[in-house]
């Protein structure tokens, strides 16, 4: 199965961080606001789960897309895979792995400027495990923490979900009616800073 092609078909092009701004017409949700690292993670986990339960209702599988800066040695990759395994997410043998050109980085990092991508299917029962991996990106005190970007996709609805850290989550799709339904059902969770832009897109739909 060509997971990479399925991913590109959903939005029509390669995507990267800040989906809400790079793909106009999407949704941006607010997650945690304050407290300890655990408080932030649990608050974000609850809110992301509410929205994602709606997005993936009736689906048996989630298409997962992971991104990380390509390690210059195998040890960095092993550490990420170990953290994923501890989180209950094992990368299956049926998967796609590829390199994309990445952001420019200086020589002080242990990674290259290439982006290592991996895509595979997991049962929807692993949804909260994956959400945890996504929202703990910048919460270094908490484990497990794979430290990679986690995108959750529903190919049947044409939706890409990106909880970019404990603070927020972007949802994009070329299926505007589907996003409109999410806008109405989860309006209380939308990020106020970008609410005006979302209202222009969905308030009259």
């Amino acid at each position: 199965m060509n997971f990479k092609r399925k991913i590109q078909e959903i939005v029509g092009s390669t995507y990267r961080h800040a989906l809400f701004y790079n793909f106009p017409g999407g949704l941006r949700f607010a997650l945690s606001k304050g407290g300890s690292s655990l408080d932030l993670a649990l608050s974000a986990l609850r809110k992301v789960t509410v929205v994602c339960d709606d997005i993936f209702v009736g689906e048996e599988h989630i298409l997962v897309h992971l991104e990380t800066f390509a390690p210059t040695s195998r040890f960095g990759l092993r550490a990420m895979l170990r953290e994923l395994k501890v989180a209950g997410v094992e990368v299956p043998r049926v998967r796609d792995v590829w390199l994309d050109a990445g952001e420019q980085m200086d020589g002080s990092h242990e990674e290259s400027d290439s982006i290592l991508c991996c895509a595979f299917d997991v049962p929807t029962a692993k949804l909260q495990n994956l959400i945890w991996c996504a929202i703990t990106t910048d919460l270094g005190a908490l484990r497990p923490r794979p430290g990679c970007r986690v995108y959750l996709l529903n190919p049947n609805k044409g939706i890409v979900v990106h909880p970019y850290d404990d603070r927020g989550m972007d949802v994009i799709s070329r299926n505007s009616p589907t996003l409109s339904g999410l806008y109405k059902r989860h309006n209380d969770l939308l990020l106020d800073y970008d609410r005006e832009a979302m209202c222009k897109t969905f308030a009259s739909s």
Side-chain angles (χ1 to χ4, degrees):
M1 182 177 294
N2 193 322
F3 293 114
K4 180 181 179 181
R5 185 173 62 193
K6 288 178 67 174
I7 288 171
Q8 293 179 339
E9 286 174 350
I10 290 176
V11 293
S13 63
T14 300
Y15 55 78
R16 190 66 41 80
H17 206 44
L19 301 188
F20 179 79
Y21 298 115
N22 291 321
F23 292 86
L27 299 172
R28 175 160 275 200
F29 294 92
L31 302 179
S32 63
K33 292 184 178 180
S36 67
S37 294
L38 184 58
D39 290 335
L40 295 173
L42 293 177
S43 176
L45 181 64
R46 285 192 295 268
K47 293 177 182 179
V48 175
T49 299
V50 168
V51 179
C52 284
D53 278 346
D54 192 350
I55 292 172
F56 294 101
V57 63
E59 301 293 337
E60 294 184 359
H61 293 91
I62 298 170
L63 174 54
V64 181
H65 175 195
L66 306 180
E67 286 186 348
T68 186
F69 285 106
T72 55
S73 73
R74 294 184 179 180
F75 295 104
L77 185 57
R78 286 175 180 172
M80 186 188 78
L81 293 174
R82 182 174 62 248
E83 291 290 297
L84 284 169
K85 187 174 182 178
V86 172
V89 180
E90 294 196 52
V91 178
R93 292 185 177 182
V94 180
R95 61 185 183 250
D96 276 355
V97 179
W98 69 95
L99 284 174
D100 280 342
E103 299 92 339
Q104 292 297 315
M105 303 181 69
D106 61 39
S108 64
H109 295 76
E110 295 181 356
E111 299 89 3
S112 71
D113 62 356
S114 295
I115 299 294
L116 178 65
C117 302
C118 183
F120 50 91
D121 274 339
V122 298
T124 51
K126 294 293 184 180
L127 177 60
Q128 285 198 326
N129 305 60
L130 291 161
I131 294 171
W132 176 271
C133 291
I135 62 180
T136 56
T137 300
D138 293 325
L139 297 176
L142 297 182
R143 291 290 187 275
R145 184 173 66 93
C148 55
R149 294 174 187 165
V150 180
Y151 301 89
L152 309 174
L153 298 92
N154 184 330
N156 293 325
K157 294 182 179 178
I159 296 179
V160 180
V161 181
H162 182 211
Y164 47 86
D165 55 28
D166 65 285
R167 295 164 295 175
M169 175 175 71
D170 291 342
V171 180
I172 61 170
S173 175
R174 291 192 288 182
N175 187 341
S176 185
T178 297
L179 291 187
S180 179
L182 294 173
Y183 171 86
K184 294 173 182 175
R185 291 190 295 274
H186 307 290
N187 194 273
D188 60 315
L189 298 179
L190 297 176
L191 182 66
D192 286 335
Y193 182 82
D194 294 303
R195 186 177 290 274
E196 182 178 353
M198 291 182 277
C199 284
K200 289 180 179 178
T201 303
F202 298 107
S204 61
S205 60

